[in-house]
Every structure is written in C-alpha cells, then in structure tokens.
Amino acid sequence: MTLDELKLRHSALLAARYSGTRSVSYDGKTLNYGTDAELAAAISDAERRIAKLERGAGRVLRPFAVKDL
C-alpha cells in the first residue's frame, strides 16, 4: 500500500469518527466498525504505518571494534 493510499484511508477514518458514524467507504469498499474503540485503533494503525513510510528505511548501524592499547 502506498503512502497516498494510506493517507486517503486515514482521512476517511477520521471523517467517519468526527461525524459520529462507524462506517467507512473507500476504494468501492465499505467497512463497519463495531465500536468507537475499533475505529480509534484503525486510525492509530494508519498513523503508525504512515509514520513508518515517511521515516524511510531508518538508521543503518555499523558496529566496529576498537583494540584497547
């Protein structure tokens, strides 16, 4: 899933939560969430995935040894 797709889903989830509904539609699909907590968890997951994609590959650690003199 691309970053743009995730951002669209995140926007749809937020719009549903702020409007008081628990139904979200995107890409021709409709999802119904049983509780607000499930919807909040989906929003949190989308935010985590977006942050991961925006962050990139992350740090590369290159360990090395130093001989004590």
Side-chain angles (χ1 to χ4, degrees):
M1 184 175 301
T2 67
L3 182 59
D4 290 335
E5 291 171 339
L6 274 173
K7 286 183 177 182
L8 286 173
R9 287 187 182 192
H10 181 256
S11 296
L13 289 167
L14 286 177
R17 189 166 192 212
Y18 294 144
S19 69
T21 62
R22 292 189 313 245
S23 178
V24 179
S25 296
Y26 53 84
D27 294 337
K29 300 175 186 175
T30 301
L31 293 172
N32 295 312
Y33 293 92
T35 63
D36 183 61
E38 289 178 357
L39 187 54
I43 291 169
S44 178
D45 180 59
E47 290 171 347
R48 182 184 55 78
R49 291 174 187 242
I50 288 169
K52 185 177 179 181
L53 286 175
E54 286 179 338
R55 189 169 48 236
R59 294 178 14 182
V60 176
L61 298 176
R62 294 186 176 95
F64 64 94
V66 176
K67 185 177 181 180
D68 192 28
L69 298 175

